[in-house]
Amino acid sequence: MASTCDSLIEDIEDMVSFSDPTPQERQSIRKSIIPRSRKKKELMCNEELQADSLIPGTQKIWMKTWGCSHNSSDGEYMAGQLAASGYKMTDDPTEADLWLLNSCTVKNPAEDHFRNSIKKAQEQEKKVVVAGCVPQAQPRMDYLKGLSIIGVQQIDRVVEVVDEAVKGHSVRLLGQKKDGGRRLGGARLDLPKIRRNPLIEIISINTGCLNACTYCKTKHARGDLASYPIEELVERARQSFQEGVCEIWLTSEDTGAYGRDIGTDLPTLLWRLVEEIPEGAMLRLGMTNPPYILEHLEEMAKILNHPRVYAFLHVPVQSASDSVLMDMKREYCIDDFKRVVDFLKERVPGVTIATDIICGFPGETEEDFQETIDLVKCYRFPSLFINQFYPRPGTPAAKMEQVPAHVKKQRTKELSQLFHSYNPYDHKVGERQHVLVTEESFDAQYYVSHNKFYEQVLVPKRAEFKGKMIEVDIYEAGKHFMRGQPVEDSKPFTPSIAAPLQKGEVSGLMQADFNT
């Protein structure tokens, strides 16, 4: 199901209020969402529907998602609604009747892959629906002509759009969701979804941000900050745990800014969520920019020390040069970033700080770049996302004087070599750790688990470990992982309060709703 839920979407045009019908109510009153394919089979046991049938809800759909965990969450919701309405999600693009492509606009290569996938689908005469940040930000691009589009806030209407696309119609939903004039965080959180990993729930706590970074195209798609109310987020977490989830990821374009538009803040939300987390289950906080986490450092340190919260924070610095940060309009100086890191390292022993760096931003001098090199040498970040600068169309940075391509490439290479010159986990060999096992490794040889600091620990692939908190002895360390041997006399602990859903099973609707 990896590719099935590999999709996402963004904002849309209908005006929705919280008094709207619930998904369960819509399931029974909206013809377009009745699982007609199942009823057909009941009435016509011996008759196969033809593959070229134009009856919506009978086709196979392949979904591909690029980009961040917010996109992944959107994709999971789209897959769930389509499956609940009778469509069959498939991992095989060749057998699909329609491709749902959920795009990312952060970098040129991601958009190139998206554009190439559209071309490939058209060559294979597949129906195409596009979603995500690319069409939301630039719906008039030539290669999107004639295609149906789901905006990033309109993912709750994916069934309508796909129904029309199946019939050969082009539909575009790109508006914002509002209630009483206030922009909402997006589609309802209680929609059906298919989790890519039944053990992990991804919750988007807000959309958009308060910044205006000069290189960012995502802002054009996701817009200004719009947060979900705390009660809705807490209820979503509660429901997830009732469906066997043992790990929750909070995601958004900037989690640190959460609540500023609705009179609350991130620590208030986190303390409420912590109350709902079962023993042994874990919460991972998503990316936060430095400006909005600065005023919450004391509370954030307490929260990251909580036994059911990973001591992990992703704080993108992008550059260690104040002049470059100013040109980026990042709204902080390098001392602000250092204050965040130093404070958390002191108050949360062992905390993992992940960061991002852009190499070759317009105007970056050798001296500027050297400051960034020095920052990495000082902090030796265990997780570092290195990005060569790509000018995104329509952004202020695209109009600035560019650093020559060969210089950008060389700086990216130099920083990558520095990052790979140190091993952050060597000193942990010999430690005994508790880890939560949630997934399978890419090579399918191990299970992947994480310790309190969200460091990756590979453990033996034994069925009884999946979804469990186990105790291991670390016997080997690599650049990005450790290997752990289960402690013999230690019994796996089950954090899930219910049996997890099966792979591909739809969350968010009672089974009775599918059969009515």
Side-chain angles (χ1 to χ4, degrees):
M1 244 328 277
S3 14
T4 301
C5 289
D6 229 8
S7 75
L8 16 72
I9 41 193
E10 313 201 21
D11 301 43
I12 265 201
E13 85 188 1
D14 66 331
M15 302 301 191
V16 164
S17 75
F18 294 112
S19 61
D20 279 357
T22 66
Q24 290 90 337
E25 291 166 339
R26 279 200 295 270
Q27 198 74 7
S28 59
I29 64 174
R30 240 176 49 190
K31 288 183 179 179
S32 61
I33 299 196
I34 293 174
R36 276 159 289 199
S37 59
R38 294 194 181 195
K39 292 197 172 183
K40 282 282 179 185
K41 288 176 184 174
E42 290 171 17
L43 296 171
M44 306 159 64
C45 298
N46 300 319
E47 188 174 340
E48 283 286 327
L49 284 174
Q50 296 303 305
D52 60 355
S53 167
L54 291 182
I55 303 171
T58 63
Q59 290 74 21
K60 293 181 178 178
I61 297 175
W62 177 68
M63 188 184 296
K64 170 68 178 175
T65 293
W66 291 266
C68 65
S69 55
H70 193 165
N71 264 10
S72 297
S73 175
D74 285 351
E76 292 182 349
Y77 276 121
M78 289 194 285
Q81 292 170 86
L82 290 166
S85 67
Y87 287 101
K88 177 173 172 53
M89 306 304 297
T90 177
D91 290 332
D92 184 355
T94 61
E95 73 169 16
D97 303 294
L98 179 144
W99 288 12
L100 176 49
L101 304 174
N102 195 13
S103 62
C104 171
T105 192
V106 171
K107 302 183 205 173
N108 290 12
E111 183 172 347
D112 292 342
H113 286 304
F114 171 63
R115 184 170 53 243
N116 290 338
S117 293
I118 292 173
K119 184 178 178 183
K120 194 172 181 180
Q122 292 168 333
E123 288 170 351
Q124 296 180 31
E125 298 185 342
K126 307 288 187 185
K127 304 282 188 185
V128 181
V129 173
V130 296
C133 289
V134 172
Q136 180 72 48
Q138 298 175 282
R140 294 181 179 83
M141 296 287 285
D142 284 345
Y143 69 87
L144 297 177
K145 280 183 178 175
L147 298 181
S148 290
I149 298 176
I150 304 165
V152 294
Q153 280 202 312
Q154 301 294 331
I155 60 174
D156 56 337
R157 298 181 64 182
V158 63
V159 173
E160 298 170 53
V161 175
V162 169
D163 283 352
E164 293 304 312
V166 163
K167 291 184 281 191
H169 303 156
S170 177
V171 180
R172 295 189 166 203
L173 299 179
L174 291 161
Q176 307 292 316
K177 288 201 183 300
K178 295 183 180 179
D179 184 30
R182 182 178 67 82
R183 185 166 178 262
L184 301 177
R188 301 170 68 108
L189 293 172
D190 58 355
L191 293 169
K193 74 189 298 188
I194 296 177
R195 295 186 183 94
R196 183 172 55 183
N197 183 337
L199 297 172
I200 298 175
E201 166 72 359
I202 306 172
I203 303 178
S204 169
I205 62 173
N206 57 268
T207 191
C209 70
L210 293 170
N211 292 357
C213 300
T214 55
Y215 56 82
C216 182
K217 190 74 176 174
T218 306
K219 176 79 172 190
H220 295 198
R222 297 280 184 180
D224 291 328
L225 179 69
S227 305
Y228 283 100
I230 286 179
E231 292 304 326
E232 289 185 29
L233 295 166
V234 170
E235 181 54 38
R236 181 68 211 179
R238 191 179 292 132
Q239 179 194 326
S240 302
F241 290 126
Q242 289 167 354
E243 292 178 336
V245 161
C246 62
E247 186 169 292
I248 283 186
W249 297 357
L250 301 185
T251 183
S252 77
E253 283 67 58
D254 186 353
T255 59
Y258 170 80
R260 282 173 169 256
D261 57 320
I262 58 173
T264 186
D265 56 36
L266 182 62
T268 303
L269 169 65
L270 293 175
W271 284 125
R272 286 291 309 279
L273 287 172
V274 161
E275 295 173 6
E276 303 294 332
I277 304 173
E279 184 182 354
M282 297 296 290
L283 181 146
R284 190 192 82 176
L285 185 58
M287 187 271 285
T288 176
N289 284 313
Y292 304 109
I293 207 69
L294 270 169
E295 66 189 69
H296 301 311
L297 285 180
E298 289 274 359
E299 285 300 296
M300 289 305 301
K302 293 175 188 174
I303 290 164
L304 294 176
N305 274 314
H306 192 282
R308 296 192 292 276
V309 178
Y310 285 118
F312 168 90
L313 201 60
H314 179 195
V315 190
V317 65
Q318 305 301 7
S319 172
S321 161
D322 283 342
S323 62
V324 172
L325 291 173
M326 188 176 296
D327 288 342
M328 291 178 171
K329 286 196 174 176
R330 289 291 287 167
E331 299 185 14
Y332 58 86
C333 63
I334 192 58
D335 283 345
D336 292 331
F337 173 81
K338 289 178 178 178
R339 183 177 160 221
V340 170
V341 177
D342 292 344
F343 185 94
L344 293 178
K345 279 181 169 291
E346 179 187 344
R347 300 293 185 91
V348 189
V351 65
T352 296
I353 302 293
T355 196
D356 301 5
I357 288 174
I358 295 173
C359 295
F361 186 81
E364 182 185 68
T365 65
E366 281 299 330
E367 291 75 16
D368 294 328
F369 178 65
Q370 189 56 49
E371 289 183 72
T372 299
I373 289 286
D374 292 342
L375 182 80
V376 175
K377 284 180 178 177
C378 175
Y379 288 101
R380 295 165 68 92
F381 302 102
S383 183
L384 176 60
F385 303 95
I386 300 168
N387 303 293
Q388 182 175 317
F389 175 74
Y390 290 97
R392 301 297 289 130
T395 61
K399 301 182 181 73
M400 298 176 182
E401 186 174 347
Q402 304 296 306
V403 171
H406 72 279
V407 175
K408 289 194 291 186
K409 190 173 182 180
Q410 177 56 36
R411 289 177 185 171
T412 304
K413 181 181 177 182
E414 184 179 340
L415 185 58
S416 297
Q417 287 175 338
L418 170 59
F419 174 59
H420 286 96
S421 70
Y422 58 86
N423 293 316
Y425 307 128
D426 283 356
H427 67 287
K428 300 210 168 191
V429 172
E431 285 187 4
R432 181 163 289 189
Q433 302 179 352
H434 285 91
V435 297
L436 181 59
V437 183
T438 53
E439 52 197 315
E440 190 178 83
S441 61
F442 285 118
D443 63 8
Q445 300 301 304
Y446 296 90
Y447 276 154
V448 177
S449 68
H450 292 89
N451 60 20
K452 162 67 177 171
F453 310 106
Y454 203 69
E455 296 161 337
Q456 184 170 280
V457 180
L458 302 180
V459 300
K461 194 176 170 185
R462 297 183 201 160
E464 66 268 24
F465 290 163
K466 192 72 174 288
K468 304 291 195 297
M469 181 76 77
I470 66 173
E471 196 172 18
V472 298
D473 289 323
I474 303 301
Y475 66 90
E476 184 182 343
K479 175 63 181 172
H480 302 286
F481 65 90
M482 290 170 272
R483 284 194 174 92
Q485 181 63 39
V487 177
E488 283 187 23
D489 56 351
S490 178
K491 290 184 179 180
F493 178 80
T494 305
S496 298
I497 59 175
L501 301 180
Q502 295 299 305
K503 189 91 166 170
E505 191 175 346
V506 180
S507 153
L509 288 179
M510 299 302 291
Q511 190 61 35
D513 292 318
F514 295 110
N515 299 322
T516 53

